[in-house]
Amino acid sequence: MTLVYSEIMVRYGELSTKGKNRMRFINKLKRNIQDVLSIYPAVQVTADRDRCHVILNGQDYAPVAESLKQIFGIQAFNPVYRLPKDVTVLENAVQEIMTGLYREGLTFKVAAKRADHSFELDSRELNHTLGDAVFRALPSIQAQMKKPDVTLKVEIRDEAAYISHEEIKGVGGLPVGTSGKGMLMLSGGIDSPVAGYLALKRGVDIEAVHFASPPYTSPGALKKAHDLTRKLTKFGGNIQFIEVPFTEIQEEIKEKAPEAYLMTLTRRFMMRITDRIREERDGLVIVNGESLGQVASQTLESMQAINAVTNTPIIRPVVTMDKLEIIDIAEKIDTFNISIQPFEDCCTIFAPDRPKTNPKIKNAEQYERRMDVEALVERAVAGIMITEITPQAENDDVEEMIEDLL
Ligand code: ATP
Ligand code: MG
C-alpha cells in the first residue's frame, strides 16, 4: 500500500481569541480558502468550530500546501491520511510512514485518540499496538514521550481513522475581510502592492483602485496592475479591480494649473475619487503606498496637502519603511518582477520635472477653483470599470506568457 494524503486539517490563527465573532471569522476564512483553492477544482473545503478541512479528492498535496502557506488567518496545518478503521491497516500505515521517515537516532511516539468509543482498542491500547508495529518494522528506533522527533497522531472517529505526523506553519495574520473593507490605491509601482499585502495581512478586504489615462497610459500598464492584483489574491481570495478613467482630469490639470502643482493636484483628485468610490462601496479606509521622503509627493507637507481633501482614515503600511525593506517584501510576495516592467503609469507621464515638495493647501485650492472639481470627480466615478480578479494557477502564468509571445 502506498499512503497518499487525503485531507489537510487547518488550525485557525489569532481568531481563536475572538469570542462571539468566532463563527464569522471561521466562515470568512473558509470562503477565502475556497477562493484561493478554486484553482484546484477537485478540492473541497469544510469548516467547523475548531478546524477547517481541506479534502483533496485525489488532488496532489504539495501545491495545495504551498497555497495554504500564504493564506492569512491560518496558524498551522496538518496533512492527514484517512484510513479504514481496521487495526491491521493502521499497523501497516504507521510502519510505512515511519520507514519513510527513518534515519539513525530518530525518536517517535504514538498519540492516539479514540472519539468512536465502540472501536475495539482504547487510546492506551492503540498507543501500544501501533508503537509495537513500528518497533517490528524498525527495531532500532527509539520511543520518546517528551519532544520526540515524530509524533504520530492517530484519531479514531465515527466515519474513519486519521493519521498525521507533520505540522506546517501558516503565515498567521487575520482572515481577509474580518477587519472590513478598504480601497487600495494601486499603481503599477513597487510600493502599493506591498501596502496592499500588509493591509490584507491584518484582515482588510481590499478593492484595488487604479487610475488609467489612455491613450497616455498603455494597455500594458493596465495589464500590469491587473497582474499585481492577481498576485495579491493568493493571500485571501478574489479582489475587485476598479479602473478609473483619469485622462480628462489630467488634461484639465495640465491646462489650468502651474507645473509645480501638477502632482499635488493630481493626487488630490485621486484621493477624492477613491474616497467617493469607497463611500459608494461601503469601504472604511483608504490604503496607499506612500513612503515618507521617497519622492516629492511624499514629504509630510505633500501628504498634508493631498490628505486635506478627506477625513477618511488612510492606512499607509509602508510609510516608515526604507525602499530596500519594501523591495524585500515585494520579492517575497512575487510582485517585484511585475512592478519593474517598464510601462509608464499616469503619474510618470504627466510628472513635472520639479514638483513642489512643500505645496500649500491654499494654493492648491486656488488652482482648483479654475476647474469644476465636482463635475470632474463625478464623471470619473461614473466611468469606473469593475473586474473581479481571481487566483490563477502558476502554470497558467506560463501558458499566458507563451500566448503573449505568439
Ligand atoms: P508605487 O510604487 O506604489 O507606485 P511610488 O513610490 O511610485 O509608489 P507615488 O507615485 O508618489 O509613489 O504614488 C504614491 C501612492 O499613490 C502609490 O503608492 C499609490 O498608492 C498611489 N498611486 C499612484 N499612482 C496611482 C495610480 N495610477 N492608480 C492608483 N493609485 C496610484
Ligand atoms: Mg508610482
Side-chain angles (χ1 to χ4, degrees):
M1 175 168 75
T2 308
L3 290 172
V4 181
Y5 285 130
S6 52
E7 73 167 81
I8 303 170
M9 272 200 265
V10 176
R11 283 209 281 119
Y12 305 135
E14 236 174 276
L15 65 91
S16 40
T17 58
K18 296 280 174 179
K20 66 177 185 328
N21 280 331
R22 195 179 164 90
M23 255 357 255
R24 194 173 66 81
F25 272 60
I26 291 170
N27 285 328
K28 197 95 217 170
L29 179 60
K30 176 186 151 190
R31 237 170 303 141
N32 295 349
I33 295 176
Q34 279 170 333
D35 268 6
V36 175
L37 297 185
S38 64
I39 52 179
Y40 310 110
V43 171
Q44 278 172 307
V45 184
T46 64
D48 54 46
R49 279 193 74 80
D50 306 305
R51 282 193 192 129
C52 181
H53 304 265
V54 176
I55 321 287
L56 291 168
N57 290 323
Q59 162 64 44
D60 188 17
Y61 159 74
V64 176
E66 280 315 304
S67 291
L68 288 175
K69 275 186 207 163
Q70 319 218 44
I71 300 174
F72 289 125
I74 294 179
Q75 172 150 332
F77 59 89
N78 312 76
V80 300
Y81 303 105
R82 180 192 165 112
L83 298 163
K85 295 194 289 185
D86 176 291
V87 177
T88 313
V89 170
L90 296 177
E91 284 177 330
N92 289 337
V94 294
Q95 286 178 335
E96 184 180 326
I97 294 167
M98 292 313 296
T99 307
L101 296 173
Y102 187 72
R103 53 182 164 75
E104 212 182 295
L106 189 85
T107 59
F108 85 106
K109 79 169 173 189
V110 181
K113 222 163 76 187
R114 185 182 63 159
D116 165 17
H117 290 283
S118 66
F119 189 70
E120 54 189 296
L121 303 179
D122 68 16
S123 314
R124 227 175 44 89
E125 290 164 337
L126 267 166
N127 286 342
H128 279 128
T129 307
L130 299 180
D132 284 347
V134 173
F135 285 126
R136 281 200 302 280
L138 299 162
S140 58
I141 198 169
Q142 284 163 32
Q144 183 172 305
M145 293 305 109
K146 262 193 194 153
K147 296 208 173 153
D149 299 320
V150 179
T151 301
L152 282 171
K153 287 191 189 141
V154 181
E155 226 179 303
I156 310 291
R157 283 193 241 145
D158 287 335
E159 69 286 6
Y162 296 86
I163 302 182
S164 70
H165 64 85
E166 36 171 355
E167 174 160 298
I168 293 123
K169 240 172 91 85
V171 267
L174 299 174
V176 170
T178 53
S179 299
K181 195 199 287 189
M183 314 312 288
L184 168 67
M185 300 175 71
L186 182 86
S187 66
I190 295 168
D191 306 326
S192 43
V194 171
Y197 164 79
L198 292 169
L200 289 168
K201 177 164 183 242
R202 294 311 296 170
V204 181
D205 184 9
I206 58 171
E207 296 193 341
V209 178
H210 176 75
F211 292 85
S213 302
Y216 306 106
T217 57
S218 66
L222 186 64
K223 174 161 190 306
K224 191 173 159 187
H226 268 166
D227 290 347
L228 288 169
T229 306
R230 200 182 296 285
K231 286 286 177 195
L232 295 178
T233 62
K234 278 188 299 196
F235 309 106
N238 303 1
I239 295 175
Q240 305 299 321
F241 181 92
I242 301 169
E243 178 191 343
V244 184
F246 204 48
T247 315
E248 184 191 8
I249 292 177
Q250 290 207 283
E251 286 174 341
E252 179 82 355
I253 297 172
K254 180 106 184 150
E255 195 190 314
K256 305 267 171 74
E259 178 102 352
Y261 270 77
L262 291 188
M263 191 270 309
T264 308
L265 296 194
T266 305
R267 289 308 152 90
R268 281 165 62 91
F269 269 99
M270 281 188 180
M271 192 61 87
R272 284 191 186 95
I273 293 166
T274 305
D275 201 31
R276 193 70 62 85
I277 297 170
R278 173 203 64 76
E279 207 179 329
E280 282 182 8
R281 300 178 61 80
D282 297 322
L284 297 169
V285 290
I286 293 171
V287 181
N288 72 22
E290 285 173 336
S291 171
L292 184 55
Q294 210 186 79
V295 289
S297 62
Q298 297 173 15
T299 61
L300 289 178
E301 289 88 348
S302 254
M303 281 188 201
Q304 193 176 40
I306 296 163
N307 211 153
V309 300
T310 175
N311 290 319
T312 301
I314 299 175
I315 298 180
R316 298 177 176 85
V318 303
V319 73
T320 61
M321 286 186 194
D322 293 347
K323 193 74 189 185
L324 289 178
E325 294 176 87
I326 300 172
I327 289 175
D328 265 357
I329 301 177
E331 281 178 332
K332 201 180 80 186
I333 64 173
D334 204 23
T335 53
F336 184 73
N337 285 327
I338 299 174
S339 292
I340 59 175
Q341 289 170 4
F343 296 107
E344 310 252 33
D345 79 9
C346 58
C347 306
T348 340
I349 287 161
F350 286 88
D353 292 338
R354 258 175 294 131
K356 220 165 172 52
T357 53
N358 59 341
K360 301 282 175 295
I361 296 178
K362 258 177 56 191
N363 294 348
E365 285 169 351
Q366 186 200 322
Y367 301 134
E368 281 169 358
R369 276 195 286 275
R370 300 173 182 172
M371 322 165 195
D372 188 345
V373 171
E374 183 52 34
L376 287 166
V377 168
E378 238 162 59
R379 273 199 295 280
V381 173
I384 60 173
M385 280 231 326
I386 306 177
T387 325
E388 174 154 310
I389 308 282
T390 56
Q392 189 175 43
E394 294 296 326
N395 45 354
D396 289 3
D397 281 0
V398 177
E399 275 163 30
E400 199 173 288
M401 262 168 55
I402 294 169
E403 257 167 47
D404 285 353
L405 287 173
L406 292 176

